[in-house]
């Protein structure tokens, strides 16, 4: 974690603008449609690509909400550390537990 | 050397304590409450040792024995060692980083009141012989209704849930405090080692507690609403609880030990008159311990048969943790090396930690090997191991911390003669109690049995342990006498009671309510040594100081506060006293207590109590949020 | 939790306190809280996935189940309904950023009319959250009618607990939004209140991303 004492006193607040908000919403909407659509294609559901592709789509949605709506992309790096560190440990824990219970 | 005459608290009386939001007063309340529960848990252990002193005794019933070992573990972990650490977090972190208070003073008061009320909630059933009886790690399905009917486990589940709220709230508070309340120039790598270790502990808390919260929610739902989480008949996995519990439980071990490591890292340099050896490496190894702590939980479960791959991976990760821990031990020894050692009581306890923790650490590495662990698990060998790290480690560090910081907290030294008696008796008694457990364990004596037959070679070891416990109780009694005697009649202490290096010693003892009349500007890791021995301060430490800040301090980075003024005279805004955090805490506890009536088939009453608790919670929370802090 | 709201809702005492990083304490606390919440939902999601396919009796999420008595239970998850509620929750995040932008830019050019109407956006966000909760109430009751209770099987226990926890978070979020709305109605939120709205928004979006994960992991992957 870095120390931000050097540029103290002034918070960088460069929020994404209105246009970006709309684009993000549109992408979220589009991905959700694709996800649900994929759910109704039995051949695709049965294929081994289904789960990874769905996880990737979900991760994209997750990331753009965090990056733009939670403006982590534009905010202090400290917040990235506070969020990504625990998120990493949480995902490690999920993965390890699923492996231990023979689910992966 | 001046000033014992310092800040008499401006408010007195019980109400001022109930409504206080001052981190020092809250720290003091944590200290007294946690010491009380330390004694309580110690007496529980004493009763168990009486029962086990000789084979086939029937002084205590099997059921009572179950309640005693469960409450001894629960009390020591959640009601004694964690809050004792919290006492130091509260008292020291703001002083060490040069802040006037924590980031959220009222939240801090809330944490304490939740702790106190939760502690009472989980403790009082033992007086009615309905205390929790499922062991401190409460393995489900043993703790489900089927095998543990009655209210015992309910008290445990809800008590831990309440205590978790306290720890989490405090952790968010201290993370924010350490990140954001540091005095100018107090960069992360200039922070005192205690603050650093505490910082790591707060992250362990916020990441470990959610796992047990969820495990407890499942258990609560199973017990109260008939869900299937731990119901084997419905296909549940008996290992689910164990995994979730130890995902919490292993980081919890570091939550218990790292604050003591931090205290020792303050004590050893002070009484060696040398800076801490390898500061950076100490920080990194602390981070490493915390981080690896999340990847080793299943070494508590080698005996359940997870398979060769899982056993191997967790075994290797566990051995890996030995490295940063060993680094710390060697750094402490190197700190002592060539120092001008003053062998005061605090120093004795600190060195005691280095020695005794190492013994516990080594038996820990023995457990990391699954084949060895299979022999040792659930025997007294394990009991010996974790008492060496928790008593020999955490408690030795905390005792050292109390002797060290007593002058800061109360303006008087603790008695050295009594302290020396306390230390040597504790040291001897501790080894007499716990070392024989290695042998009785290797001879096959299981944990948690309320009695045993003669002729298995366990008698003399058990007798030794029981005598040791008696001696420990005597030693602790000496400590208690010393504590209360010194508070009133100890030698007056100056503000820099020991010639230490860090900021808390630059202000009067006890500190005024606002801590620092002027926020200090920090230019090195040893600000007070620089001030007193400018000729010895190393240029290297100053090299990265922000020139603007140093200049703004007029080249006087720090001064010793020798005069006392009130906050009003200095124009320092202080947080207002308030009772709302206590009311909010009370609401939470009432809300949980209401659920108890469900098992007594008073559903309407349960709802009434829980809802009135919730109403109190929400009402006082809103009142709190909408009233100004200062 | 209380951390974030703690000092958040009153700002009549706007002392400019020195902070090390120049950031506001409350925002650091809320991010730490969100980090902690990651572990909370990780534990819930892990349990759901561990218990997936281990229930001894139906109804099941994605498979048909014939009971020993010959009764047939169809797959219980209702993807169309949940897709609709997911959509509503995703859109609530858009409304939330609009509310924040309206408060932050109040009075600036280009933020007149609807775009600058923070009350409208706060109200629509809260409304969307309430609609989501309505969908959840509908889903829960219809599951119970179809024979899935929290006590029925491992799927029922872990499903209701996981989504119920999420629903509880949405409920807290709705109350938080309504509180902000009440303040806005009473005295009007100004750019000085940006942070107060921002931390509520962070919480709200986090609850949204948790749902993004739940929707994929629980509803779509079979």
């Amino acid at each position: 974690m870095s120390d931000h004492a050097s540029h103290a006193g002034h918070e960088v607040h460069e929020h994404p603008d209105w246009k970006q908000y709309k684009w993000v919403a549109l992408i979220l909407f589009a991905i959700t449609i694709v996800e649900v659509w994929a759910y109704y294609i039995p051949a695709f559901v049965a294929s081994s690509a289904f789960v990874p592709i769905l996880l990737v789509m979900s991760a994209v949605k997750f990331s753009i909400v965090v990056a733009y709506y939670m403006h982590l992309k534009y905010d202090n790096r400290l917040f990235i550390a506070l969020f990504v560190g625990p998120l990493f440990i949480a995902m490690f824990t999920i993965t390890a537990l699923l492996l231990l219970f023979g689910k992966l | 050397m001046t000033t014992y005459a310092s800040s008499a608290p401006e408010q007195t009386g019980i109400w001022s304590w109930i409504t206080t939001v001052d981190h020092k007063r809250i720290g003091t309340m944590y200290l007294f409450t946690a010491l009380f529960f330390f004694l309580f848990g110690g007496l529980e252990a004493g009763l168990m040792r009486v029962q086990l002193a000789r084979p086939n005794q029937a002084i205590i019933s099997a059921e009572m024995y179950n309640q005693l070992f469960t409450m001894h573990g629960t009390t020591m972990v959640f009601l004694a060692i964690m809050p004792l650490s919290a006492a130091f977090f509260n008292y020291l972190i703001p002083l060490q980083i040069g802040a006037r208070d924590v980031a959220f003073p009222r939240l801090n008061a809330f944490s304490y009141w939740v702790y106190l009320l939760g502690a009472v909630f989980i403790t009082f059933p033992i007086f009615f012989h309905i205390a929790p009886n499922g062991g401190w790690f409460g393995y489900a399905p043993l703790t489900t209704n089927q095998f543990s009917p009655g209210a015992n486990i309910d008290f445990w589940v809800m008590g831990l849930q309440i205590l978790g709220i306290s720890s989490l709230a405090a952790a968010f508070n201290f993370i924010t405090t350490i990140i954001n309340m540091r005095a100018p120039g107090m960069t992360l790598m200039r922070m005192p080692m205690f603050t650093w270790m505490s910082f790591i502990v707060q992250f362990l808390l916020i990441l470990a507690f959610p796992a047990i919260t969820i495990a407890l929610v499942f258990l609560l739902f199973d017990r109260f609403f008939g869900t299937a989480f731990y119901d084997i008949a419905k296909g549940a996995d008996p290992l689910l609880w164990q995994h979730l519990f130890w995902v919490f439980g292993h980081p919890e071990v570091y939550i218990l030990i790292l604050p003591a490591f931090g205290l020792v890292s303050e004590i050893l340099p002070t009484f060696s008159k040398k800076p801490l050896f390898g500061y950076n490496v100490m920080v990194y190894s602390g981070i490493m311990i915390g981080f690896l702590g999340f990847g080793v939980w299943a070494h508590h479960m080698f005996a359940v048969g997870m398979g060769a791959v899982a056993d191997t991976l967790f075994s290797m990760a566990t051995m890996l943790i030995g490295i940063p821990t060993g680094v710390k031990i060697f750094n402490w020894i190197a700190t002592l090396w060539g120092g001008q050692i003053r062998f005061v009581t605090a120093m004795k306890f600190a060195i005691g930690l280095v020695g005794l923790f190492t013994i516990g650490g080594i038996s820990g590495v023995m457990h990391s090997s699954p084949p060895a662990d299979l022999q040792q698990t659930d025997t007294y060998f394990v009991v010996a191991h974790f008492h060496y790290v928790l008593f020999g480690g955490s408690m030795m560090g905390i005792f050292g911390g109390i002797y060290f910081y007593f002058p800061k907290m109360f303006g008087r030294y603790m008695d050295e003669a009594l302290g020396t008696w306390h230390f040597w008796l504790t040291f001897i008694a501790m080894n007499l109690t716990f070392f024989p457990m290695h042998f009785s364990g290797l001879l096959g004596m299981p944990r948690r049995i309320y009695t045993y037959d003669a002729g298995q070679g366990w008698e003399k070891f058990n007798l030794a342990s029981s005598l040791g416990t008696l001696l420990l109780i005597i030693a602790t009694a000496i400590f208690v006498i010393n504590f209360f005697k010194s508070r009133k009649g100890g030698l007056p202490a100056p503000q820099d009671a020991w010639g230490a290096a860090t900021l808390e010693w630059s202000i009067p003892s006890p500190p005024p309510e606002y801590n620092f009349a002027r926020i200090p500007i920090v230019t090195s890791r040893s600000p007070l040594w620089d001030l007193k021995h400018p000729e010895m301060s190393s240029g290297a430490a100053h090299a990265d100081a922000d020139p603007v800040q140093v200049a703004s301090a007029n080249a006087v980075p720090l001064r010793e506060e020798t005069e006392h003024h009130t906050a009003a005279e200095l124009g320092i805004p202080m947080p207002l006293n308030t009772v709302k955090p206590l009311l909010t805490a009370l609401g939470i506890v009432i809300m949980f207590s209401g659920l108890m009536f469900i098992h007594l088939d008073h559903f309407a009453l349960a709802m009434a109590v829980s809802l009135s608790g919730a109403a109190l919670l929400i009402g006082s929370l809103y009142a709190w949020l909408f009233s100004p802090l200062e | 939790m209380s951390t974030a709201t703690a000092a958040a809702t009153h700002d009549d005492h706007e002392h400019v306190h020195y902070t090390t990083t120049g950031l506001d304490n409350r925002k650091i606390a809320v991010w730490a809280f969100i980090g902690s919440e990651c572990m909370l939902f990780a534990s819930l999601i892990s349990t759901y996935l561990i218990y997936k396919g281990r229930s001894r009796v139906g109804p099941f999420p994605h498979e048909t189940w014939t009971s020993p008595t010959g009764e047939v239970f169809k797959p219980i998850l209702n993807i169309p309904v949940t897709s609709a509620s997911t959509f509503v929750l995703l859109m609530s995040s858009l409304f939330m950023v609009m509310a924040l932008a309206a408060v932050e830019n109040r009075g600036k050019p280009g933020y007149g009319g609807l775009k600058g109407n923070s009350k409208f956006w706060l109200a629509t966000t809260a409304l969307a959250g309430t609609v989501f909760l309505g969908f959840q109430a509908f889903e829960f009751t219809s599951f119970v009618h179809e024979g899935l209770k929290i006590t029925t099987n491992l799927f029922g226990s872990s499903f209701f607990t996981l989504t119920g926890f999420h629903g509880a978070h949405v409920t807290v979020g709705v109350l938080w939004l309504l509180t902000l709305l009440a303040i806005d109605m009473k005295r009007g939120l100004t750019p000085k209140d940006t942070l107060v709205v921002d931390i509520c928004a962070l919480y709200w979006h986090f609850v949204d991303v948790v749902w993004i994960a739940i929707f994929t992991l629980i509803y779509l992957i079979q």
Side-chain angles (χ1 to χ4, degrees):
Chain A
M1 216 170 299
S2 66
D3 195 57
H4 297 275
S6 48
H7 47 89
H10 182 255
E11 198 173 333
V12 190
H13 244 314
E14 214 182 300
H15 287 309
D17 63 2
W18 183 201
K19 240 184 247 161
Q20 271 176 321
Y21 290 153
K22 275 197 292 198
W23 268 110
V24 170
L26 221 61
I27 296 171
L28 291 174
F29 183 52
I31 294 180
T32 309
I33 299 236
V34 174
E35 282 179 324
V36 176
W37 181 51
Y39 177 85
Y40 285 104
I41 307 173
F44 181 52
V45 172
S47 81
S48 58
F50 177 70
V51 174
I53 288 179
L54 244 71
L55 287 178
V56 168
M57 285 196 286
S58 174
V60 171
K61 285 161 75 183
F62 190 100
S63 316
I64 60 173
V65 172
V66 173
Y68 292 94
Y69 282 180
M70 295 168 90
H71 46 83
L72 206 50
K73 189 170 173 233
Y74 301 88
D75 225 329
N76 199 303
R77 282 189 304 151
L78 175 72
F79 298 132
I80 301 180
L82 278 177
F83 180 63
V84 175
L87 184 68
F88 174 77
I89 290 181
M91 297 207 305
F92 166 80
T93 309
I94 296 183
T95 316
L97 280 171
L98 291 181
L99 282 168
L100 283 162
F101 282 91
K103 289 284 179 177
L104 283 181
Chain B
M1 287 284 154
T2 43
T3 63
Y4 156 65
S6 74
S7 58
E10 281 161 22
Q11 296 150 312
T12 49
I14 185 108
W15 187 246
S16 75
W17 285 88
I18 288 174
T19 59
T20 189
V21 292
D22 179 344
H23 72 99
K24 297 178 290 299
R25 285 184 154 211
I26 293 170
T28 308
M29 292 198 287
Y30 262 112
L31 180 66
F32 278 93
T33 316
L35 279 177
F36 169 80
F37 282 105
F38 174 71
L39 300 179
F40 198 86
L43 291 178
E44 286 165 347
L47 284 174
M48 286 192 282
R49 284 317 318 176
V50 169
Q51 163 71 11
L52 291 178
R54 316 209 113 270
N56 291 319
Q57 293 201 108
I59 299 163
I60 295 166
S61 70
E63 170 56 27
M64 196 58 211
Y65 189 86
N66 288 349
Q67 297 184 14
L68 283 173
F69 74 65
T70 303
M71 284 315 294
H72 170 68
T74 305
T75 303
M76 286 308 192
V77 169
F78 295 101
L79 310 184
I81 298 183
M82 278 177 74
L84 279 168
S85 303
F88 288 108
F89 298 157
N90 267 286
Y91 209 95
L92 290 180
I93 288 175
L95 299 184
Q96 288 201 325
I97 62 174
R100 293 215 165 107
D101 207 321
V102 293
F104 305 105
R106 295 181 291 190
L107 187 67
N108 201 22
F110 169 80
S111 299
Y112 171 74
W113 293 114
V114 174
Y115 155 61
L116 177 67
L117 295 171
V120 172
F121 182 88
I122 206 169
T123 300
F124 88 90
I126 201 160
F127 296 109
F128 304 94
H129 304 279
I130 47 168
N133 54 3
W136 91 273
F137 38 72
Y139 275 0
L142 174 67
T143 44
T144 55
N145 276 338
Q146 190 188 349
F147 305 105
S148 295
N152 311 49
I153 298 294
D154 297 331
F155 284 111
W156 187 78
V157 172
M158 283 190 277
L160 287 198
Q161 214 61 301
I162 294 166
L163 292 166
I165 294 169
S166 161
S167 299
L168 281 169
F172 299 129
N173 206 343
F174 288 119
I175 285 176
T176 311
T177 304
I178 294 174
I179 290 177
N180 225 18
M181 306 287 278
R182 281 169 288 136
M186 176 64 80
T187 57
L188 288 177
M189 289 312 272
R190 281 185 194 146
M191 290 198 308
M193 193 53 61
F194 173 75
T195 298
W196 246 117
M197 292 303 115
S198 311
F199 193 41
I200 296 165
V201 166
Q202 308 311 321
F203 283 99
L204 297 181
L205 282 164
I206 66 165
L207 294 174
F209 264 80
I212 195 178
T213 302
I214 292 303
L216 287 166
V217 165
F218 292 162
L219 186 54
L220 194 126
F221 280 14
D222 269 15
R223 294 184 62 84
F224 285 90
F225 310 119
T227 51
F229 290 107
Y230 305 119
D231 188 345
I232 308 300
K234 287 182 175 166
D237 196 310
L239 295 188
L240 179 70
W241 169 275
Q242 294 196 23
H243 277 295
L244 288 177
F245 183 86
W246 288 116
V247 165
F248 149 80
H250 200 78
E252 171 72 16
V253 173
Y254 300 121
I255 291 168
L256 296 170
I257 192 66
L258 284 179
F261 281 3
L263 288 169
V264 166
S265 303
E266 300 296 326
I267 296 169
L268 291 176
T270 303
F271 297 114
S272 309
K273 285 210 169 177
K274 276 177 69 191
L276 186 66
F277 182 87
Y279 173 98
N280 296 27
V281 181
M282 286 295 248
V283 170
Y284 300 141
S285 58
I287 295 173
M288 192 77 176
I289 291 173
F291 191 72
L292 287 174
F294 282 97
V296 299
W297 77 81
H299 68 212
H300 296 267
M301 303 165 56
F302 282 145
V304 303
M306 293 178 295
V309 178
D311 279 2
T312 311
L313 288 175
F314 279 103
S315 165
M316 287 191 325
T318 306
M319 291 177 188
L320 214 56
I321 285 198
I323 296 172
T325 317
V327 163
K328 281 189 173 293
I329 305 280
F330 283 115
N331 277 6
W332 288 324
I333 295 171
T335 303
L336 292 168
W337 193 268
Q340 289 179 33
I341 293 177
R342 272 187 294 161
F343 214 46
V344 296
T345 308
M347 184 67 159
K348 292 180 182 122
F349 275 103
I351 296 176
L353 176 144
V354 177
L356 295 174
F357 178 84
T358 305
I359 296 176
I362 288 171
S363 58
V365 176
M366 292 167 77
H367 299 140
S368 73
S369 161
D373 185 70
L374 280 178
Q375 297 298 314
Q376 295 155 0
T377 195
D378 267 334
T379 69
Y380 264 82
F381 191 87
V382 174
V383 179
H385 158 70
F386 65 70
H387 280 93
Y388 266 88
V389 290
L390 289 183
F391 199 106
S394 302
M395 276 318 293
M396 285 297 210
I398 286 166
F399 277 135
I402 291 175
Y403 281 92
F404 189 58
Y405 282 108
F406 192 89
K408 181 52 58 189
M409 298 175 91
F410 302 108
R412 291 174 185 275
Y413 287 103
M414 284 182 83
D415 189 272
E416 277 294 316
L418 285 174
T420 303
W421 273 100
H422 173 214
F423 170 74
W424 284 110
L425 275 179
T426 304
F427 186 81
I428 293 165
M430 195 254 123
N431 284 295
L432 183 59
T433 307
F434 301 117
F435 204 76
M437 290 183 182
H438 289 112
F439 298 104
S440 51
L442 287 180
L443 288 171
M445 180 167 169
R447 294 167 75 172
R448 298 171 168 171
I449 48 167
Y450 82 107
T451 190
Y452 53 94
D453 278 331
Q456 302 176 87
W458 304 344
E459 294 95 326
K460 56 180 180 293
F461 298 118
N462 275 289
L463 189 61
S465 291
S466 294
L467 290 174
T469 308
L470 179 67
L471 208 56
L472 261 185
I473 291 172
I474 296 170
T476 310
I478 293 174
F479 166 75
V480 173
I481 292 166
N482 192 355
F483 190 93
F484 285 100
K485 216 179 116 212
S486 305
R487 244 188 97 213
K488 292 274 176 285
L491 281 176
Q495 63 188 38
D496 182 10
W498 308 106
T502 42
L503 288 181
E504 68 269 32
W505 304 102
S506 72
I507 54 174
S509 306
E513 53 174 343
Y514 49 80
N515 298 349
F516 297 90
R518 200 189 58 169
I519 297 294
I521 292 187
V522 182
T523 53
S524 82
R525 279 175 198 153
S526 321
L528 227 63
W529 285 354
D530 291 351
L531 186 71
K532 294 188 171 169
H533 308 283
E535 74 287 356
M536 287 177 69
S537 72
S538 74
H542 293 271
D544 58 335
D546 186 338
V548 181
Q549 282 170 348
V550 175
S552 77
N554 219 357
V556 184
L558 179 72
R559 67 174 184 196
E560 287 186 87
E561 310 278 357
T562 47
E563 297 160 45
H564 180 252
H565 300 279
T566 64
E569 283 166 11
L570 292 165
I572 299 171
M574 295 306 294
L576 298 168
N577 281 10
T578 170
V579 73
K580 290 169 197 121
L582 169 58
L583 293 178
T584 313
L586 197 60
I588 289 179
V589 176
I590 292 173
M591 198 171 77
F592 275 103
S593 323
L595 290 176
M596 294 301 296
F597 295 104
I598 291 183
H599 271 184
L600 304 172
D601 286 325
H602 290 297
F603 192 76
L605 183 62
M607 288 321 279
V609 175
S610 282
L611 287 178
S612 46
L616 179 60
L617 164 64
I618 294 169
S620 41
L621 189 63
Y622 267 81
W624 164 2
L625 298 181
F626 281 93
S627 57
L629 174 67
E630 289 164 349
Chain C
M1 223 163 72
S2 49
T3 326
T5 27
T9 33
H10 67 84
D11 58 334
D12 35 346
H13 267 255
E14 195 79 41
H15 293 291
V16 184
H17 281 294
Y18 166 82
T19 64
T20 317
T21 58
L23 304 166
D24 191 281
N25 285 341
R26 292 165 283 179
K27 200 160 162 185
I28 294 177
V30 89
W31 271 112
F33 172 65
I34 288 173
S36 174
E37 292 272 278
C38 287
M39 265 314 264
L40 189 93
F41 282 103
S43 310
L44 284 162
I45 291 172
S46 306
T47 304
Y48 178 88
L49 294 175
I50 287 166
Y51 278 166
K52 200 170 165 182
R54 291 183 62 143
S55 298
R56 297 254 164 98
V57 295
F60 298 133
H62 302 285
E63 303 84 14
T64 305
W65 179 63
T66 313
S67 75
T69 55
E71 217 182 330
V72 177
F73 293 88
K74 282 186 288 186
I76 202 157
L77 291 181
N78 188 337
I79 300 299
V81 166
T82 312
S83 303
S85 74
T86 303
F87 174 71
V88 170
L89 197 63
L90 286 176
M91 288 309 108
S92 80
S93 268
L94 176 65
F95 305 152
M96 187 74 243
V97 290
M98 294 309 297
L100 178 60
V103 171
E104 191 176 8
N105 299 300
R106 171 146 1 263
K108 285 193 195 155
Y111 279 89
L114 190 60
K115 219 170 145 189
N117 190 340
S118 55
K119 294 185 197 66
F120 173 79
W121 294 115
L122 285 171
T124 38
T125 314
L127 182 69
T130 314
V131 170
F132 176 84
L133 289 171
F135 272 116
Q136 194 168 46
F138 167 77
E139 181 190 40
F140 281 16
T141 43
S142 61
F143 282 10
V144 171
H145 284 305
E146 289 170 47
L148 183 75
K149 286 189 284 190
I150 197 169
T151 54
T152 307
N153 55 17
L154 289 173
F155 164 64
S157 298
S158 52
F159 173 84
F160 282 116
T161 308
L162 168 58
T163 52
F165 250 82
H166 180 266
H169 277 76
V170 176
T171 311
V172 171
V174 169
L175 292 175
W176 196 341
L177 285 163
L178 291 175
T179 309
L180 288 180
L181 181 61
I183 298 172
D184 204 3
M185 309 258 257
K186 201 169 160 221
R187 65 164 174 79
L189 292 167
T190 68
K192 272 166 71 183
D193 300 303
T194 303
L195 191 99
V196 178
V197 183
D198 193 14
I199 54 176
C200 175
L202 289 174
Y203 173 81
W204 187 260
H205 296 310
F206 177 72
V207 173
D208 188 20
V209 295
V210 169
W211 187 256
I212 290 175
I214 290 177
F215 183 59
T216 304
L217 289 171
I218 279 75
Y219 286 88
L220 296 181
I221 293 178
Q222 304 175 18

